[in-house]
Amino acid sequence: MIRRRDLPAPPPSSEITPEAVYLDRRAFLRAAGFTGAGAMLAACGAGRQPTSTATPAEAQADELGNPSTDVEIVTSYNNYYEFTTGKQGVADLAESFRMRPWTVEVGGLVHKPMTFAIDDLLASLPQEERIYRLRCVEAWSMVIPWVGFELGRLLDQVEPMTSAAFLGFTTLLDPDQMPGQRSPEYRWPYTEGLRLDEAMHGLTLLATGLYGEPLLRQNVAPLRLMVPWKYGFKSIKAIVRIDLLEEPPATFWNTIAPQEYGFYANVNPEVDHPRWSQASEVRFGRGKRRDTLMFNGYADQVAGLYAGMDLRVNY
Ligand code: MTE
Protein backbone atom coordinates (compact mmCIF):
# COMPACT_ATOMS: atom_id res chain seq x y z
CA MET A 1 0.00 0.00 0.00
CA ILE A 2 1.20 3.48 -0.80
CA ARG A 3 0.90 5.78 2.17
CA ARG A 4 -1.36 8.66 1.38
CA ARG A 5 -2.96 11.34 3.43
CA ASP A 6 -5.65 13.76 2.35
CA LEU A 7 -4.71 17.30 3.17
CA PRO A 8 -7.24 19.88 4.26
CA ALA A 9 -8.53 22.16 1.50
CA PRO A 10 -6.19 25.08 0.93
CA PRO A 11 -7.18 28.37 2.55
CA PRO A 12 -8.70 31.10 0.37
CA SER A 13 -6.06 33.12 -1.44
CA SER A 14 -6.68 36.06 0.92
CA GLU A 15 -5.31 33.91 3.76
CA ILE A 16 -2.34 32.48 1.91
CA THR A 17 0.96 33.65 3.32
CA PRO A 18 2.42 36.37 1.13
CA GLU A 19 4.77 34.99 -1.48
CA ALA A 20 7.63 37.03 -0.03
CA VAL A 21 7.65 34.71 2.96
CA TYR A 22 8.32 31.78 0.68
CA LEU A 23 11.14 33.63 -0.97
CA ASP A 24 13.11 33.12 2.18
CA ARG A 25 13.71 29.40 2.37
CA ARG A 26 15.50 29.77 5.67
CA ALA A 27 12.24 31.19 6.98
CA PHE A 28 10.44 28.19 5.56
CA LEU A 29 12.81 25.80 7.28
CA ARG A 30 12.41 27.64 10.56
CA ALA A 31 8.63 27.68 10.16
CA ALA A 32 8.67 23.97 9.45
CA GLY A 33 10.58 23.38 12.66
CA PHE A 34 13.93 22.59 11.10
CA THR A 35 16.05 24.71 13.38
CA GLY A 36 19.48 24.35 14.85
CA ALA A 37 22.91 23.76 13.46
CA GLY A 38 22.20 20.13 12.61
CA ALA A 39 19.45 21.13 10.20
CA MET A 40 21.78 23.13 7.98
CA LEU A 41 23.78 21.17 5.49
CA ALA A 42 27.51 21.28 5.71
CA ALA A 43 28.85 22.75 2.49
CA CYS A 44 29.37 19.95 0.00
CA GLY A 45 31.90 19.96 -2.77
CA ALA A 46 30.68 19.17 -6.28
CA GLY A 47 30.00 15.49 -6.67
CA ARG A 48 29.92 14.73 -2.97
CA GLN A 49 26.71 13.38 -1.58
CA PRO A 50 24.94 15.51 1.00
CA THR A 51 24.81 14.32 4.57
CA SER A 52 22.91 15.66 7.53
CA THR A 53 22.28 14.74 11.11
CA ALA A 54 19.03 16.69 11.22
CA THR A 55 16.05 14.94 12.73
CA PRO A 56 12.80 15.87 10.96
CA ALA A 57 10.22 17.49 13.21
CA GLU A 58 7.69 14.87 12.21
CA ALA A 59 9.36 11.59 11.26
CA GLN A 60 7.66 10.10 8.23
CA ALA A 61 8.36 6.92 6.32
CA ASP A 62 7.26 5.37 3.06
CA GLU A 63 5.30 2.12 2.87
CA LEU A 64 8.57 0.14 2.91
CA GLY A 65 9.63 1.78 6.17
CA ASN A 66 12.23 4.09 4.60
CA PRO A 67 12.41 7.34 6.56
CA SER A 68 11.93 10.52 4.55
CA THR A 69 15.09 12.32 3.52
CA ASP A 70 15.95 15.42 5.51
CA VAL A 71 14.20 18.43 4.04
CA GLU A 72 17.44 20.40 3.89
CA ILE A 73 18.96 17.79 1.57
CA VAL A 74 15.89 17.63 -0.64
CA THR A 75 15.72 21.39 -1.03
CA SER A 76 19.42 22.07 -1.47
CA TYR A 77 20.61 19.25 -3.76
CA ASN A 78 18.74 19.54 -7.03
CA ASN A 79 18.82 18.81 -10.72
CA TYR A 80 17.43 21.85 -12.47
CA TYR A 81 19.38 22.67 -15.62
CA GLU A 82 17.35 25.82 -16.29
CA PHE A 83 19.26 27.36 -13.38
CA THR A 84 22.57 25.52 -13.26
CA THR A 85 24.11 22.19 -14.14
CA GLY A 86 25.52 22.13 -10.59
CA LYS A 87 23.51 20.42 -7.91
CA GLN A 88 24.03 22.89 -5.12
CA GLY A 89 22.94 26.47 -5.41
CA VAL A 90 19.72 25.94 -7.35
CA ALA A 91 17.68 27.25 -4.41
CA ASP A 92 19.61 30.52 -4.35
CA LEU A 93 19.52 30.97 -8.14
CA ALA A 94 15.78 30.28 -8.18
CA GLU A 95 15.02 32.49 -5.21
CA SER A 96 13.34 35.27 -7.19
CA PHE A 97 11.72 33.02 -9.82
CA ARG A 98 8.15 34.26 -10.32
CA MET A 99 5.48 31.65 -9.80
CA ARG A 100 2.47 33.96 -10.17
CA PRO A 101 0.65 34.37 -12.43
CA TRP A 102 1.09 30.76 -13.58
CA THR A 103 -1.08 28.81 -15.97
CA VAL A 104 -0.88 25.37 -17.52
CA GLU A 105 -2.46 24.93 -20.92
CA VAL A 106 -3.80 21.46 -21.74
CA GLY A 107 -4.56 20.81 -25.40
CA GLY A 108 -3.93 18.63 -28.41
CA LEU A 109 -6.17 15.58 -28.78
CA VAL A 110 -8.77 16.58 -26.19
CA HIS A 111 -12.45 17.44 -26.50
CA LYS A 112 -12.18 20.33 -24.04
CA PRO A 113 -8.86 22.18 -24.24
CA MET A 114 -8.43 24.19 -21.07
CA THR A 115 -6.03 26.60 -19.41
CA PHE A 116 -5.76 26.16 -15.66
CA ALA A 117 -4.48 28.81 -13.28
CA ILE A 118 -2.34 27.29 -10.55
CA ASP A 119 -4.43 28.83 -7.77
CA ASP A 120 -7.61 27.35 -9.25
CA LEU A 121 -5.96 23.92 -9.37
CA LEU A 122 -4.87 24.27 -5.75
CA ALA A 123 -8.36 25.31 -4.70
CA SER A 124 -10.45 22.94 -6.80
CA LEU A 125 -8.51 19.67 -6.61
CA PRO A 126 -8.00 18.02 -3.23
CA GLN A 127 -4.30 18.09 -2.40
CA GLU A 128 -2.92 14.96 -0.79
CA GLU A 129 0.41 13.93 0.63
CA ARG A 130 2.20 10.94 -0.88
CA ILE A 131 5.52 9.69 0.38
CA TYR A 132 7.39 8.54 -2.73
CA ARG A 133 10.91 7.45 -3.45
CA LEU A 134 12.69 9.62 -6.04
CA ARG A 135 15.36 7.64 -7.90
CA CYS A 136 17.66 9.67 -10.12
CA VAL A 137 19.21 8.03 -13.18
CA GLU A 138 22.54 9.07 -11.62
CA ALA A 139 22.02 6.30 -9.00
CA TRP A 140 21.07 8.38 -5.98
CA SER A 141 17.70 8.41 -4.29
CA MET A 142 15.62 10.25 -1.72
CA VAL A 143 12.32 9.65 0.06
CA ILE A 144 10.05 12.67 -0.18
CA PRO A 145 6.61 13.55 1.17
CA TRP A 146 5.09 15.20 -1.90
CA VAL A 147 1.95 17.29 -1.93
CA GLY A 148 -0.15 17.22 -5.07
CA PHE A 149 -3.02 15.62 -6.92
CA GLU A 150 -3.40 12.80 -9.41
CA LEU A 151 -2.69 13.90 -12.98
CA GLY A 152 -5.68 11.78 -14.03
CA ARG A 153 -8.03 14.20 -12.25
CA LEU A 154 -6.89 17.02 -14.49
CA LEU A 155 -7.00 14.86 -17.62
CA ASP A 156 -10.58 13.82 -16.87
CA GLN A 157 -11.58 17.48 -17.14
CA VAL A 158 -10.17 17.93 -20.67
CA GLU A 159 -11.63 14.64 -21.98
CA PRO A 160 -8.88 13.01 -24.04
CA MET A 161 -9.94 11.80 -27.50
CA THR A 162 -9.75 8.09 -28.26
CA SER A 163 -6.85 8.84 -30.64
CA ALA A 164 -4.73 10.23 -27.76
CA ALA A 165 -2.06 7.73 -26.70
CA PHE A 166 0.75 9.92 -25.32
CA LEU A 167 1.32 13.14 -23.40
CA GLY A 168 3.95 15.79 -23.95
CA PHE A 169 4.93 18.12 -21.10
CA THR A 170 6.71 21.44 -21.54
CA THR A 171 8.58 23.60 -19.01
CA LEU A 172 8.39 27.39 -19.02
CA LEU A 173 10.79 29.01 -21.51
CA ASP A 174 12.07 32.23 -19.93
CA PRO A 175 15.83 32.75 -20.26
CA ASP A 176 15.58 36.05 -18.38
CA GLN A 177 14.54 34.18 -15.27
CA MET A 178 16.23 30.87 -15.97
CA PRO A 179 19.86 31.61 -16.84
CA GLY A 180 20.61 28.03 -17.83
CA GLN A 181 18.26 28.43 -20.78
CA ARG A 182 20.76 30.85 -22.32
CA SER A 183 23.13 27.93 -22.84
CA PRO A 184 23.12 26.80 -26.48
CA GLU A 185 24.33 23.38 -25.31
CA TYR A 186 20.78 22.21 -24.68
CA ARG A 187 17.56 22.27 -26.63
CA TRP A 188 15.16 24.38 -24.57
CA PRO A 189 12.55 24.24 -23.22
CA TYR A 190 12.83 21.02 -21.17
CA THR A 191 10.22 18.55 -22.37
CA GLU A 192 9.05 15.14 -21.23
CA GLY A 193 6.47 12.56 -22.15
CA LEU A 194 4.36 9.67 -20.88
CA ARG A 195 2.04 7.12 -22.37
CA LEU A 196 -1.59 8.00 -21.62
CA ASP A 197 -2.12 4.92 -19.43
CA GLU A 198 0.98 5.83 -17.40
CA ALA A 199 -0.35 9.36 -17.00
CA MET A 200 -3.75 8.06 -15.86
CA HIS A 201 -2.19 5.66 -13.33
CA GLY A 202 -3.18 6.47 -9.76
CA LEU A 203 0.45 6.85 -8.66
CA THR A 204 1.19 9.63 -11.15
CA LEU A 205 1.05 12.99 -9.43
CA LEU A 206 1.19 16.58 -10.38
CA ALA A 207 3.13 17.82 -7.38
CA THR A 208 2.45 21.28 -5.98
CA GLY A 209 4.77 21.08 -2.98
CA LEU A 210 6.63 18.90 -0.55
CA TYR A 211 6.87 18.47 3.20
CA GLY A 212 3.43 20.09 3.46
CA GLU A 213 4.69 23.29 1.85
CA PRO A 214 3.66 24.67 -1.54
CA LEU A 215 5.78 26.78 -3.85
CA LEU A 216 9.20 25.24 -3.48
CA ARG A 217 10.90 26.80 -6.48
CA GLN A 218 13.89 24.50 -6.70
CA ASN A 219 11.81 21.31 -6.55
CA VAL A 220 8.38 22.18 -7.91
CA ALA A 221 8.05 25.73 -9.25
CA PRO A 222 4.98 25.66 -8.94
CA LEU A 223 3.80 22.49 -10.72
CA ARG A 224 5.87 19.38 -11.36
CA LEU A 225 5.27 15.85 -12.54
CA MET A 226 6.10 13.02 -10.15
CA VAL A 227 6.16 9.48 -11.57
CA PRO A 228 7.74 7.45 -8.77
CA TRP A 229 8.56 4.28 -10.72
CA LYS A 230 10.59 6.16 -13.34
CA TYR A 231 13.99 7.84 -13.20
CA GLY A 232 13.79 11.38 -11.87
CA PHE A 233 14.44 13.08 -15.20
CA LYS A 234 10.90 12.13 -16.28
CA SER A 235 9.49 14.26 -13.44
CA ILE A 236 9.57 17.59 -15.25
CA LYS A 237 9.36 20.83 -13.25
CA ALA A 238 7.70 24.20 -13.93
CA ILE A 239 5.13 22.76 -16.35
CA VAL A 240 3.25 25.29 -18.49
CA ARG A 241 1.86 23.02 -21.20
CA ILE A 242 0.51 19.49 -21.57
CA ASP A 243 -0.39 18.10 -24.99
CA LEU A 244 -2.31 14.93 -25.72
CA LEU A 245 -0.72 13.25 -28.73
CA GLU A 246 -0.97 10.28 -31.03
CA GLU A 247 2.80 9.61 -31.06
CA PRO A 248 5.50 9.82 -28.37
CA PRO A 249 6.88 13.38 -28.12
CA ALA A 250 10.55 14.28 -28.41
CA THR A 251 11.96 14.67 -24.91
CA PHE A 252 14.89 16.67 -23.53
CA TRP A 253 17.27 13.90 -22.44
CA ASN A 254 16.17 11.33 -24.98
CA THR A 255 16.95 13.82 -27.76
CA ILE A 256 20.40 14.61 -26.37
CA ALA A 257 21.47 11.00 -25.75
CA PRO A 258 18.88 8.40 -26.79
CA GLN A 259 21.17 5.49 -26.00
CA GLU A 260 21.52 6.72 -22.40
CA TYR A 261 18.04 8.05 -21.60
CA GLY A 262 15.14 6.04 -22.96
CA PHE A 263 11.59 7.30 -23.37
CA TYR A 264 10.27 4.86 -20.75
CA ALA A 265 13.04 5.34 -18.17
CA ASN A 266 11.50 2.84 -15.77
CA VAL A 267 13.78 2.18 -12.80
CA ASN A 268 15.32 -1.20 -13.56
CA PRO A 269 18.29 -2.75 -11.73
CA GLU A 270 18.89 -5.12 -14.65
CA VAL A 271 19.33 -2.50 -17.36
CA ASP A 272 22.47 -0.50 -16.75
CA HIS A 273 23.12 3.00 -17.94
CA PRO A 274 25.84 2.66 -20.63
CA ARG A 275 28.29 4.46 -18.31
CA TRP A 276 27.37 3.02 -14.89
CA SER A 277 25.48 0.25 -13.15
CA GLN A 278 21.88 0.71 -12.04
CA ALA A 279 21.98 -2.35 -9.76
CA SER A 280 22.45 -0.24 -6.63
CA GLU A 281 21.95 3.32 -5.45
CA VAL A 282 22.92 5.73 -2.68
CA ARG A 283 20.07 6.87 -0.44
CA PHE A 284 21.10 10.37 0.55
CA GLY A 285 21.62 10.91 4.23
CA ARG A 286 21.50 7.16 4.93
CA GLY A 287 25.02 6.01 4.20
CA LYS A 288 25.80 2.84 2.34
CA ARG A 289 24.54 1.69 -1.03
CA ARG A 290 21.36 -0.33 -1.31
CA ASP A 291 19.95 -2.54 -4.05
CA THR A 292 17.85 -0.80 -6.67
CA LEU A 293 14.28 -2.09 -6.67
CA MET A 294 12.47 -2.99 -9.89
CA PHE A 295 10.19 -0.09 -10.82
CA ASN A 296 11.68 1.66 -7.78
CA GLY A 297 9.65 -0.66 -5.49
CA TYR A 298 6.30 0.00 -7.20
CA ALA A 299 6.26 -3.20 -9.31
CA ASP A 300 3.02 -4.51 -7.75
CA GLN A 301 1.24 -1.38 -8.88
CA VAL A 302 2.78 -0.75 -12.30
CA ALA A 303 4.41 -3.87 -13.78
CA GLY A 304 1.13 -4.67 -15.57
CA LEU A 305 1.52 -1.53 -17.68
CA TYR A 306 4.49 -3.15 -19.40
CA ALA A 307 3.28 -6.76 -19.72
CA GLY A 308 4.78 -8.39 -22.80
CA MET A 309 7.25 -5.57 -23.46
CA ASP A 310 10.99 -6.15 -23.66
CA LEU A 311 12.29 -3.71 -21.06
CA ARG A 312 15.82 -3.91 -22.45
CA VAL A 313 14.59 -2.55 -25.76
CA ASN A 314 12.06 -0.17 -24.22
CA TYR A 315 14.45 1.19 -21.57
N1 MTE B 1 12.72 19.48 -14.79
C1 MTE B 1 13.23 20.55 -15.44
N2 MTE B 1 12.40 21.42 -15.99
N3 MTE B 1 14.58 20.74 -15.56
C2 MTE B 1 15.48 19.83 -15.05
O1 MTE B 1 16.71 20.04 -15.19
N4 MTE B 1 15.79 17.71 -13.87
C3 MTE B 1 15.20 16.38 -13.71
C4 MTE B 1 13.84 16.46 -13.00
N5 MTE B 1 13.02 17.49 -13.56
C5 MTE B 1 14.97 18.69 -14.37
C6 MTE B 1 13.56 18.57 -14.24
C7 MTE B 1 16.07 15.45 -13.00
S1 MTE B 1 17.40 14.87 -13.87
C8 MTE B 1 15.82 15.03 -11.73
S2 MTE B 1 16.72 13.81 -11.01
C9 MTE B 1 14.76 15.65 -10.93
O2 MTE B 1 14.08 16.71 -11.61
C10 MTE B 1 15.37 16.22 -9.67
O3 MTE B 1 14.37 16.71 -8.83
P1 MTE B 1 14.78 17.43 -7.47
O4 MTE B 1 15.68 18.56 -7.82
O5 MTE B 1 13.48 17.87 -6.87
O6 MTE B 1 15.48 16.38 -6.64
Side-chain angles (χ1 to χ4, degrees):
M1 265 300 288
I2 302 304
R3 281 193 51 178
R4 50 197 286 177
R5 176 155 68 95
D6 290 333
L7 297 175
S13 53
S14 56
E15 288 176 22
I16 290 174
T17 312
E19 200 178 353
V21 171
Y22 292 104
L23 287 174
D24 182 348
R25 74 190 180 92
R26 297 283 181 220
F28 155 58
L29 293 170
R30 276 196 300 279
F34 296 90
T35 51
M40 294 302 155
L41 255 190
C44 293
R48 283 177 55 199
Q49 64 156 300
T51 52
S52 169
T53 54
T55 308
E58 186 198 349
Q60 299 188 76
D62 67 10
E63 81 288 1
L64 301 180
N66 299 300
S68 54
T69 306
D70 297 342
V71 66
E72 179 66 18
I73 294 176
V74 176
T75 55
S76 63
Y77 187 92
N78 300 101
N79 268 335
Y80 207 160
Y81 277 44
E82 283 84 346
F83 290 98
T84 171
T85 53
K87 315 279 185 192
Q88 280 106 26
V90 177
D92 290 337
L93 286 168
E95 216 164 28
S96 53
F97 180 71
R98 290 187 298 277
M99 295 193 291
R100 296 292 187 281
W102 193 279
T103 54
V104 55
E105 209 176 327
V106 188
L109 301 173
V110 297
H111 290 291
K112 293 187 178 165
M114 290 170 88
T115 299
F116 299 90
I118 183 70
D119 289 319
D120 293 341
L121 286 175
L122 287 168
S124 64
L125 293 173
Q127 307 289 308
E128 22 171 296
E129 183 170 84
R130 302 263 185 106
I131 302 176
Y132 283 165
R133 295 170 288 286
L134 171 71
R135 169 61 156 82
C136 179
V137 73
E138 298 161 343
W140 54 259
S141 63
M142 303 183 184
V143 179
I144 302 175
W146 298 94
V147 178
F149 56 89
E150 288 179 20
L151 171 59
R153 287 178 182 260
L154 184 140
L155 295 176
D156 286 343
Q157 296 186 41
V158 297
E159 297 179 12
M161 294 177 182
T162 48
S163 52
F166 292 90
L167 277 80
F169 300 82
T170 308
T171 291
L172 177 72
L173 181 64
D174 187 349
D176 287 342
Q177 288 204 81
M178 297 169 132
Q181 287 182 338
R182 291 176 219 147
S183 161
E185 246 181 88
Y186 298 99
R187 203 195 66 153
W188 305 106
Y190 196 101
T191 52
E192 256 308 334
L194 290 178
R195 242 172 37 194
L196 180 58
D197 58 344
E198 296 174 325
M200 294 299 289
H201 193 282
L203 287 182
T204 303
L205 281 195
L206 276 179
T208 55
L210 35 85
Y211 290 91
E213 286 293 320
L215 311 172
L216 261 286
R217 289 176 167 76
Q218 64 271 38
N219 300 88
V220 178
L223 195 67
R224 175 227 177 108
L225 187 65
M226 183 54 209
V227 195
W229 69 94
K230 292 179 179 286
Y231 291 120
F233 68 86
K234 298 294 287 181
S235 293
I236 177 173
K237 302 175 185 180
I239 298 168
V240 291
R241 197 175 166 87
I242 303 175
D243 286 293
L244 282 282
L245 308 162
E246 216 163 349
E247 301 292 335
T251 62
F252 186 82
W253 286 111
N254 184 245
T255 305
I256 293 169
Q259 68 289 355
E260 300 197 359
Y261 309 105
F263 177 81
Y264 281 94
N266 291 317
V267 176
N268 188 338
E270 288 164 19
V271 177
D272 287 338
H273 186 279
R275 291 183 281 131
W276 58 83
S277 165
Q278 293 292 22
S280 67
E281 67 196 53
V282 171
R283 175 71 42 80
F284 278 167
R286 305 279 156 199
K288 62 181 172 48
R289 297 189 79 83
R290 60 182 61 217
D291 290 343
T292 300
L293 301 177
M294 187 65 204
F295 295 113
N296 205 20
Y298 301 96
D300 288 351
Q301 291 90 352
V302 303
L305 293 172
Y306 310 101
M309 279 175 60
D310 183 341
L311 299 180
R312 289 187 177 277
V313 176
N314 298 289
Y315 54 92

